[in-house]
C-alpha cells in the first residue's frame, strides 16, 4: 500500500515524442559525438517527466520483488532510491535498462515503464538501443581488463566509430566529465585495472557517459569507496546532473541528502514515499520513512 | 551498425527494433542458434554411437540364430552329444595323468628315487592308464566319421547359400542368363541326415561295450603307495562309475534328437549373453559367447581396483589432509601427469619390463607363499591389472581429492575443537562426509579401467577362456582375454558384414551400455549426496 | 621423579599418537609408491630410449631416427664380421659386394630406420582433431554458459556430455569405423580419424571451456551490455578473449589424450606401414582421405608384432621415448601459449 501519493505534476509524455516528429521512424541510430552540445540527444527539458513507471509488479521466478510501483523520474535531475537491504532498489533500477532480462525467470507481471513515452517492455523494443540510452554504473567497479583508452571507447567502437581523432576527443571529454582526466592523461594506455578503487569507479562513469546516454543508473556507486573517493564521485554527480538524468541507489542517507533532488523510499518491494529530497529528510509524510531516515528503523 | 551521424541532429528516442532480420531471426538469434547447434553435438554424437553400434551389431542376432539352426539341421548338434561324452572321458584321463605326476613327485622327492627308477616303478600304473584311455578308441573313430559327415552337410548348405547370393547379385546386375545358369541344389536336411542318424544302433552297441570295458579296467587299478594318492584313486573310480552311469543319458539324448525342432528366438541372444565359449574361425562351429571376455574384463578390473583404490584414495587423503603445502604443490601435478602417460606406452612397458619382472619376482623362493606364485605365463591378469591400476590411480586420486576438498571446513574445525586428533578427524569426519564422492570416484576409475584397451590387449595374455576359479586366488596369474581387447584384436581381420564382425559390434554395445551404467550409478551417488547435504 | 615439572598440556607419547603416526606413514607410503611407479615407467623408457635417440658424438641426436621411415633390420655375418643394417643399406651392400648376395641373414621388420612418418601422422591427427574439437567444444561451451537457460534441453545436453566422457575409447573406434569408414565411405583416412578423435575429446574440451568461461567475472558482461553491446559483441570482445588462456590450458588434457589414444585410430586412421608421406598424394583432394602411420599405433605394432630382443629393443624403446617426448612437447607449447595470452589479458 502506497501511503504517500506521488507529488509530481503529471506532464504528458508527448513532448519528447513530438520533438522527433521530423525524423523518419526508421532512422539509423545516431552515435553521439563530442560536438553535440546538448548531451542526451533530444533534450527533455529539466523538470519534465522522463521515466514514467506505473503499477509495476516484478517477479523473480515466483517471488514478487516489486509491488505496484508508481514513480515519475524527472529529466536532468538526480533521483535517489533508498531503503533497507533487500527492498528492491536494485531490482527497480535494473528494470530501467532491462538488465534483469539477463536473469532467468524474471518477468514484469503488470504495469509499464515508459521512457519518453515509449514503453520499454514492449516486444518491439530493441534492448540494445535502450541500453545505449540508459547507461549503468555498478556497485562493484568493473573496468574491463583493457587499457583506459579502450575502456572508454569500448561503447563507441561497438557502434562502429573507429575514427581515431573523434575517439581521442571523446576520451578526453568523458574523462574530464568524470573528473579523471588530470589523474590519468599520461597513462591512457595502461590497464584500467591498475587504477585505485575510486578511480576505477570514475572510469566506469566515464565509460558510461562516453556513449552519451540520457539516463545514468548508479547502483550504490560509492559503497566500496573510501570517504575521499566518495566525495569525488558525489562532486562528479553534481556536475553530471546538468547533462544527464541520474538515478542513484544508496544506503548512505547523507549522500542521498547531498546529491539528490528527489528521493524514493522503498520498503519490502513497495514504494513508500516519493518526494523532494528536502521533504523526505526534514518532513516525511510517512512514519516508516521517518523512522528510516532518522536511523530508528527496526 | 550505422554510420556515425556527425550532423548531430537530436536523435529521436527510437528504441524500437530495426535490426536486420533473416527468416525472422536477428543476427543475434542466428548466432545463438549456431552455438546451440554446437551444444547439441554431444547429444547427436551419443545418439549416433548408439545408432551405428546397433546398425552394425543388431544383425548379429539374426545371423546367430541362423548359425544355430544350421548347427542343428546339419547334425552338428547330434555329433556334439557324442563329442561331449568323449571329451568327458578325456577329462578323466587327464585326472589320471595328474595322478601319475603326483606319484612321480612322491617317488622322486619323498622316496628319493632316481627318475628312471621312479618311471620303472610306475610301469604298472602306466599299463592301467593306457588301458583306461584306450577304451574310448572305438567311439572316437566313430566320432571322427560322424564329424566328417556333418561337416559335409554343413559345407553343402553353405555352398548353396553362396550360390544363391551369387545368383542374386547376377540378377541385380541384370545378367539373367548367367543367373539362370547358376545351379542351385536345395539342401534336403532330412535326406542328408539319414546316414548320420542311421549309425545310432551301432553307437548304442559301441557305447554299452565302452561302458563295460571302462568298468572292467577299474578292477585292474594298481595299489597306491600313499594314502593321499589312494584317496585320489578312489575318487577317480567314483568319477568313472558316475560317468558310466551317465552314458545311457547320452543315448537317450541322441534318440530323442530331432533336426527339425525349431530354435527359439531367444536362443540367439542367450547363447551370446550366457555363452561360455568364444570360438571363431573354427572348421566345426563358431560360438560367440561373451562370458569368457566379460569375466576377463571383470577380473582385470578387479585386480586393478584392488590395487588402485587404496593407493588412489590414500594418496588423496594424504595430499588433502596430511601433506605440507609444498608437498601438495609438487605431488598433485605429478600424479595428474601420470594420467598423461599414453596407455599404449604402459602396455609396451608391461610387455618389455613388468611382465618379466613380476614373473621373476614370483619365482623368488621366499615369496612362494603368495597365491599363484611361482607362475610361468609372463602376460596375465596380474600384469595387466598392475598397469591398469596405474591408469586408474590418477582418476581416482583427482576425483577423491575433489570430494575431500568439498567437505566444509567447519566439519573439520568442529571436530578439532572437540579434541579429536587429526587421524580421528579424518577417519570419523572427513572420509564419511566425502564417502559418496569417493565411491563415485572409484566407480569412474572402474569405468576407465573397463574401457581401457591397449594395456589389456598387450598384457592380459589374450587367452580366450574362462579362468579356472577352482585355483583360488592364484586365478590372477592366468591369462585372459577381454571385451575391449577382442574388438581391437579381431576387428582388423574380420570380413565386413560377417557374423563375427557383427558379434564384435555387439561386444562394443555391451561395453557402451556398461559405461553408461557405471556413469549413471556414479552420478546417482553424487546426486544423492548433494541432496543429503542441502 | 626429578623430571622438570610436567605441565598439563605436555604432549606425551602414547598409543594413540603412535598409531596416528603409523597411519600417516601408510598414507605417505601410498602416495610415494604411486609417484615411484610413475617415475619407474618414465625412467625406464627415458633411460633405454635415450640410447636410440641420442648418440655420443655431435650433433648428439640420432637424426636419422627422426627423419627416416621404418625399415627391416638385417643381421648377417660376412667375411667373418657381423653386420646390422637396414633394408636399403643392405641392398646397397649386396651391390657393392656381390659375394654377399647369398649371405644368410636374420631379419626383423620395422627395427631399422626411423619413425618420421609416424611423427608426421600423429601431428596431423592431433592438429586436425583438436581443431575440430576446439571449435565444436568452445562453441558448445559458449552456448551452455552464455546463452542457455536452465531447462529440460540443457539438462539433456549436460547428461549427454557427462555420459560421452565415460564411453570407452574402443567404442569410439567402433563407432568411427561404422560411421565414417563404412557408412560415409571415407575408408581408413585422416578425416575419419579426426572426427573420431574429436568426438572422443569433446567432453573434455567442453568442460574445460565452460570452466574458463565461468571464471570470467560477471561484471565484464554486465558492464558491456550496459554500454549497449549486443550479446554477441559482449561475448566476442569481452568474454572469450579472457577465457581463451584457460581454454587452451585445459585443452592440454585433451591434446594429450588425442595424441595418446590408440584404440580409436586403429581401424579409422592408422596404417601399420605406409611408404608414402601424407603430402605425397597425387591430388590435393586425396590428402584427407589417406590413412597415416601414427606413433601410438606404431608402438603397438612394434611391441606386439615383433619379438623382443636386443635388436628390436632399439626401435621399441626409441619410439616410446619419442612418443612420450612429443606428448610432453605439446603440453609445453600449450603452456607457453597460455602464458603469452595471460600477459596480454590480465585482470
Ligand atoms: N537474482 C535473483 N533471484 C531471485 N531473487 C532475487 C534476485 N535478486 C534479488 N532477489 C530478491 O529480490 C529482492 C530485492 O532485491 P534487490 O537486490 O533489489 O534489493 P536491494 O534493495 O538492492 O538490496 P541491497 O540494498 O542489499 O542491494 C530481495 O528479496 C532479493 O532476495
Ligand atoms: Mg542492491
Amino acid at each position: 500500500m502506497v501511503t504517500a501519493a506521488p507529488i509530481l505534476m503529471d506532464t504528458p509524455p508527448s513532448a519528447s515524442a513530438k520533438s522527433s516528429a521530423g525524423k523518419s521512424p526508421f532512422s539509423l541510430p545516431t552515435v553521439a559525438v563530442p560536438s553535440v552540445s546538448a548531451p542526451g540527444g533530444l533534450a527533455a527539458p529539466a523538470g519534465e517527466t522522463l521515466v514514467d513507471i506505473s503499477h509495476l509488479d516484478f517477479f523473480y521466478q515466483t517471488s514478487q520483488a516489486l509491488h505496484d510501483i508508481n514513480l515519475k523520474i524527472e529529466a536532468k535531475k538526480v533521483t535517489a532510491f533508498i531503503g533497507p537491504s533487500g527492498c528492491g532498489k536494485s531490482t527497480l533500477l535494473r528494470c530501467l535498462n532491462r538488465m534483469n532480462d539477463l536473469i532467468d525467470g524474471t518477468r514484469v507481471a503488470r504495469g509499464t515503464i515508459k521512457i519518453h513515452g515509449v514503453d520499454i517492455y514492449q516486444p518491439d523494443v530493441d534492448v540494445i538501443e535502450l541500453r545505449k540510452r540508459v547507461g549503468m554504473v555498478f556497485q562493484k567497479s568493473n573496468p574491463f581488463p583493457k587499457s583506459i583508452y579502450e575502456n572508454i571507447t569500448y561503447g563507441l567502437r561497438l557502434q562502429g566509430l573507429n575514427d581515431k581523432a573523434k575517439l581521442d576527443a571523446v576520451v578526453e571529454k568523458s574523462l574530464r566529465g568524470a573528473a579523471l582526466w588530470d589523474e590519468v592523461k599520461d597513462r591512457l594506455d595502461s590497464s584500467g585495472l591498475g587504477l585505485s578503487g575510486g578511480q576505477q569507479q570514475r572510469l566506469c562513469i566515464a565509460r558510461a557517459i562516453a556513449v552519451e546516454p540520457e539516463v545514468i543508473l548508479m547502483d550504490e556507486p560509492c559503497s566500496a569507496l573510501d570517504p575521499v573517493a566518495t566525495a569525488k564521485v558525489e562532486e562528479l554527480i553534481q556536475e553530471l546532473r546538468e547533462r544527464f538524468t541520474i538515478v542513484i541507489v544508496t544506503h548512505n542517507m547523507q549522500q542521498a541528502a547531498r546529491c539528490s533532488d528527489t528521493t524514493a523510499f522503498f520498503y519490502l518491494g513497495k514504494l513508500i514515499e516519493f518526494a523532494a529530497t528536502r521533504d523526505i529528510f526534514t518532513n516525511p509524510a510517512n512514519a516508516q520513512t521517518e523512522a528510516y531516515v532518522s536511523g530508528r528503523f527496526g | 551498425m550505422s554510420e556515425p551521424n556527425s550532423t548531430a541532429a537530436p536523435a529521436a528516442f527510437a528504441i524500437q527494433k530495426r535490426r536486420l532480420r533473416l527468416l525472422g531471426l536477428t543476427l543475434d538469434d542466428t548466432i545463438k542458434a549456431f552455438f546451440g547447434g554446437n551444444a547439441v553435438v554431444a547429444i547427436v554424437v551419443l545418439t549416433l554411437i548408439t545408432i551405428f553400434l546397433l546398425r552394425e551389431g543388431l544383425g548379429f542376432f539374426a545371423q546367430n540364430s541362423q548359425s544355430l539352426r544350421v548347427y542343428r539341421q546339419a547334425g552338428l548338434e547330434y555329433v556334439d552329444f557324442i563329442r561331449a561324452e568323449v571329451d568327458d572321458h578325456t577329462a578323466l584321463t587327464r585326472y589320471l595323468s595328474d595322478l601319475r605326476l603326483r606319484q612321480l613327485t612322491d617317488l622322486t622327492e619323498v622316496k628319493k628315487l632316481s627318475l628312471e627308477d621312479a618311471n620303472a616303478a610306475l610301469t604298472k600304473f602306466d599299463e592301467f592308464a593306457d588301458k583306461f584311455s584306450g577304451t574310448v578308441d572305438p567311439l572316437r573313430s566313430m566320432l571322427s566319421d560322424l564329424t566328417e559327415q556333418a561337416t559335409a552337410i554343413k559345407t553343402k548348405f553353405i555352398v548353396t547359400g553362396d550360390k544363391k547370393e551369387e545368383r542374386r547379385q547376377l540378377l541385380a546386375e541384370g545378367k539373367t542368363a548367367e543367373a539362370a545358369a547358376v545351379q542351385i541344389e536345395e539342401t534336403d536336411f532330412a535326406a542328408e541326415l539319414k546316414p548320420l542318424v542311421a549309425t545310432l544302433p551301432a553307437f548304442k552297441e559301441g557305447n554299452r561295450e565302452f561302458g563295460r570295458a571302462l568298468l572292467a579296467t577299474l578292477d585292474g587299478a594298481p595299489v597306491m603307495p600313499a594314502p593321499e594318492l589312494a584317496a585320489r584313486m578312489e575318487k577317480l573310480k567314483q568319477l568313472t562309475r558316475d560317468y558310466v552311469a551317465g552314458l545311457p543319458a547320452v543315448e537317450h539324448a541322441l534318440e530323442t534328437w530331432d533336426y527339425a525342432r525349431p530354435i527359439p528366438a531367444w536362443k540367439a541372444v542367450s547363447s551370446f549373453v550366457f555363452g561360455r565359449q568364444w570360438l571363431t574361425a573354427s572348421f566345426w562351429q563358431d560360438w560367440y559367447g561373451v562370458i569368457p571376455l566379460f569375466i576377463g574384463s571383470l577380473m582385470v578390473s578387479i585386480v586393478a581396483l584392488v590395487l588402485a583404490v587404496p593407493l588412489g584414495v590414500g594418496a588423496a587423503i594424504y595430499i588433502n589432509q596430511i601433506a605440507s603445502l609444498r608437498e601438495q604443490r609438487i605431488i598433485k601435478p605429478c600424479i595428474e601427469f601420470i594420467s598423461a602417460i599414453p596407455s599404449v606406452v604402459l602396455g609396451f612397458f608391461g610387455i618389455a619390463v613388468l611382465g618379466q619382472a613380476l614373473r621373476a619376482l614370483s619365482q623368488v623362493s621366499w615369496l612362494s607363499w603368495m597365491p599363484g606364485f611361482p607362475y610361468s605365463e609372463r602376460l596375465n591378469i596380474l600384469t595387466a591389472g598392475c598397469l591398469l591400476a596405474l591408469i586408474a590411480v590418477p582418476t581416482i586420486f583427482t576425483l577423491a581429492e575433489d570430494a575431500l576438498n568439498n567437505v566444509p571446513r567447519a566439519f573439520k574445525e568442529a571436530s578439532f575443537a572437540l579434541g579429536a586428533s587429526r587421524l580421528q578427524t579424518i577417519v570419523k569426519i572427513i572420509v564419511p562426509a566425502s564417502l559418496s564422492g569417493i565411491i563415485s570416484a572409484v566407480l569412474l576409475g572402474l569405468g576407465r579401467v573397463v574401457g581401457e584397451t591397449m594395456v589389456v590387449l598387450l598384457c592380459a595374455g589374450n587367452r580366450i577362456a574362462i579362468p579356472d576359479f577352482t585355483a583360488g586366488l592364484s586365478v590372477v596369474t592366468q591369462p585372459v582375454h577381454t571385451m575391449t581387447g577382442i574388438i581391437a584384436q579381431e576387428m582388423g581381420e574380420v570380413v565386413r558384414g560377417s557374423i563375427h564382425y557383427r558379434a564384435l559390434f555387439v561386444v562394443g554395445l555391451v561395453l557402451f551400455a556398461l559405461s553408461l551404467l557405471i556413469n549413471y550409478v556414479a552420478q546417482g551417488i553424487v546426486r544423492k549426496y548433494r541432496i543429503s547435504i542441502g | 621423579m626429578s623430571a622438570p615439572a610436567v605441565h598439563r598440556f605436555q604432549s606425551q607419547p602414547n598409543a594413540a599418537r603412535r598409531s596416528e603416526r603409523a597411519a600417516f606413514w601408510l598414507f605417505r607410503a601410498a602416495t610415494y609408491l604411486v609417484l615411484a611407479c610413475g617415475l619407474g615407467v618414465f625412467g625406464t623408457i627415458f633411460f633405454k630410449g635415450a640410447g636410440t635417440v641420442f648418440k655420443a658424438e655431435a650433433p648428439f641426436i640420432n637424426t636419422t631416427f627422426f627423419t627416416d621411415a621404418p625399415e627391416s633390420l638385417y643381421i648377417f655375418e660376412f667375411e667373418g664380421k657381423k653386420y646390422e643394417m637396414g633394408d636399403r643399406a643392405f641392398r646397397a651392400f649386396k651391390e657393392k659386394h656381390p659375394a654377399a648376395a647369398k649371405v644368410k641373414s636374420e631379419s626383423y621388420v620395422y627395427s631399422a630406420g626411423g619413425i618420421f612418418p609416424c611423427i608426421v601422422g600423429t601431428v596431423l591427427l592431433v592438429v586436425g582433431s583438436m581443431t575440430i574439437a576446439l571449435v565444436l567444444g568452445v562453441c558448445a561451451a559458449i552456448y551452455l554458459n552464455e546463452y542457455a537457460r536452465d531447462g529440460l534441453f540443457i539438462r539433456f545436453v549436460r547428461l549427454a556430455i557427462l555420459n560421452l566422457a565415460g564411453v570407452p575409447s574402443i567404442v569410439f573406434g567402433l563407432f568411427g569405423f561404422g560411421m565414417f569408414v563404412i557408412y560415409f565411405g571415407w575408408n581408413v583416412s585422416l578425416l575419419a580419424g579426426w572426427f573420431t578423435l574429436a568426438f572422443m575429446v569433446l567432453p573434455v574440451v567442453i568442460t574445460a571451456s565452460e570452466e574458463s568461461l565461468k571464471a570470467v567475472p560477471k561484471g565484464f558482461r554486465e558492464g558491456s551490455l550496459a554500454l549497449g553491446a549486443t550479446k554477441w559483441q559482449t561475448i566476442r570482445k569481452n568474454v572469450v578473449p579472457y577465457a581463451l588462456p584457460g581454454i587452451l590450458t585445459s585443452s592440454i588434457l585433451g591434446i594429450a589424450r588425442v595424441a595418446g589414444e590408440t584404440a580409436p585410430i586403429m581401424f579409422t586412421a592408422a596404417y601399420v606401414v605406409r611408404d608414402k608421406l601424407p603430402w605425397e598424394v597425387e591430388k590435393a583432394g586425396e590428402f584427407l582421405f589417406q590413412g597415416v602411420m601414427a606413433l601410438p599405433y606404431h608402438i603397438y605394432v612394434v611391441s606386439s608384432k615383433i619379438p623382443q630382443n636386443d635388436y628390436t629393443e632399439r626401435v621399441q624403446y626409441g619410439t616410446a621415448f619419442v612418443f612420450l617426448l612429443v606428448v610432453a612437447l605439446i603440453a609445453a607449447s600449450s603452456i607457453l601459449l597460455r602464458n603469452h595470452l595471460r600477459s596480454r589479458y590480465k585482470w
Side-chain angles (χ1 to χ4, degrees), chain B residues 8-36:
Chain B
F13 192 77
I15 55 171
Q16 272 78 13
K17 273 185 198 167
R18 58 192 122 75
R19 288 171 187 280
L20 194 65
R21 279 173 174 276
L22 225 125
L23 299 171
L25 293 175
T26 62
L27 183 63
D28 257 29
D29 290 339
T30 322
I31 291 170
K32 178 177 174 182
F34 167 75
F35 286 129

Side-chain angles (χ1 to χ4, degrees), chain B residues 122-302:
Chain B
L122 282 174
T123 23
K124 202 146 172 272
F125 183 87
D126 287 345
E127 270 171 29
F128 164 70
D130 281 348
K131 231 192 212 160
F132 188 91
S133 64
T135 47
V136 82
D137 286 347
L139 272 190
R140 188 164 277 156
S141 71
M142 188 181 272
L143 175 65
S144 78
D145 284 349
L146 290 177
T147 301
E148 259 168 49
Q149 285 183 32
T151 316
I153 301 176
K154 187 176 170 183
T155 313
K156 209 166 177 181
F157 177 79
I158 289 172
V159 167
T160 311
D162 288 350
K163 278 197 179 147
K164 275 186 191 155
E165 177 62 20
E166 188 185 341
R167 182 157 72 183
R168 203 184 55 74
Q169 274 182 7
L170 286 173
L171 280 174
E173 289 166 21
K175 297 177 182 158
T176 339
E178 283 98 328
V182 176
Q183 296 284 323
I184 292 180
E185 234 183 288
E186 283 299 338
T187 321
D188 178 3
F189 285 113
E192 300 275 0
L193 278 174
K194 223 167 231 152
L196 193 92
V197 185
T199 59
L200 186 58
F203 171 77
K204 276 185 179 167
E205 182 60 32
N207 208 24
R208 295 214 181 102
E209 181 54 38
F210 167 59
R212 273 195 296 279
L214 203 55
L215 288 177
T217 50
L218 285 186
D219 299 336
V223 185
M224 289 291 108
E228 196 250 352
L229 294 174
R232 281 179 180 273
M233 185 52 118
E234 275 315 307
K235 175 103 184 286
L236 174 76
K237 284 182 179 167
Q238 190 50 48
L239 283 173
T240 311
R241 279 186 213 109
D242 290 348
Y243 171 69
V244 172
L247 291 183
V250 178
E251 286 169 28
H252 180 73
L254 290 178
E255 275 164 5
T256 54
W257 179 79
D258 177 13
Y259 81 97
R261 201 139 41 90
I263 306 266
W266 53 265
K267 265 276 189 214
V269 179
S270 71
S271 78
F272 176 82
V273 177
F274 303 111
R276 302 166 65 87
Q277 267 196 91
W278 180 279
L279 190 67
T280 57
S282 128
F283 79 100
W284 178 249
Q285 171 73 8
D286 288 353
W287 294 106
Y288 301 96
V290 81
I291 290 289
L293 306 173
F294 183 82
I295 290 191
S297 284
L298 194 71
M299 289 304 295
V300 173
S301 307
I302 288 174

Side-chain angles (χ1 to χ4, degrees), chain B residues 412-491:
Chain B
K412 195 171 159 182
E413 282 164 1
S415 169
F416 281 147
L418 290 173
S421 73
R422 284 216 287 174
L423 182 65
Q424 286 165 332
T425 309
I426 291 170
V427 173
K428 299 235 166 81
I429 305 289
I430 311 263
V431 171
S434 55
L435 197 60
S436 56
I438 293 177
I439 291 174
S440 83
V442 170
L443 276 175
L444 291 177
L446 173 69
R448 188 86 219 268
V449 165
V450 168
E452 177 48 51
T453 309
M454 296 322 284
V455 166
V456 290
L457 178 59
L458 289 168
C459 301
N462 293 359
R463 194 181 71 191
I464 311 174
I466 299 175
D468 178 13
F469 284 102
T470 56
L473 263 186
S474 70
V475 70
V476 300
T477 60
Q478 297 177 17
V480 289
H481 215 316
T482 54
M483 294 192 286
T484 49
I486 202 101
I487 298 175
Q489 190 181 34
E490 297 186 342
M491 196 65 207

Side-chain angles (χ1 to χ4, degrees), chain C residues 14-70:
Chain C
N14 56 21
R17 291 233 131 224
R18 268 197 301 278
S19 71
E20 180 169 306
R21 288 271 291 282
F24 284 6
W25 270 108
L26 259 173
F27 286 125
R28 187 168 298 144
T31 313
Y32 283 97
L33 181 62
V34 171
L35 287 185
C37 290
L39 201 71
V41 175
F42 269 105
T44 314
I45 286 167
F46 273 70
F47 185 70
K48 292 209 175 173
T52 313
V53 175
F54 302 111
K55 56 185 180 186
E57 68 272 17
F60 301 111
I61 286 182
N62 183 358
T63 44
T64 54
F65 188 67
F66 289 96
T67 54
D68 278 8

Side-chain angles (χ1 to χ4, degrees), chain A residues 60 65 85-91 103 220 251:
Chain A
Y60 286 110
S85 193
C87 66
K89 306 180 296 287
S90 300
T91 304
I103 300 167
E220 302 181 40
H251 276 174

Side-chain angles (χ1 to χ4, degrees), chain B residues 35-47:
Chain B
F35 286 129
N38 281 289
V40 182
V41 168
I43 297 182
V44 171
V45 170
L46 214 55
T47 319

Side-chain angles (χ1 to χ4, degrees), chain C residues 276-290:
Chain C
K276 281 201 236 162
L277 285 169
W279 46 82
E280 292 169 353
V281 286
E282 279 153 27
K283 280 177 285 174
E286 279 170 20
F287 182 79
L288 293 179
F289 295 99
Q290 60 177 341

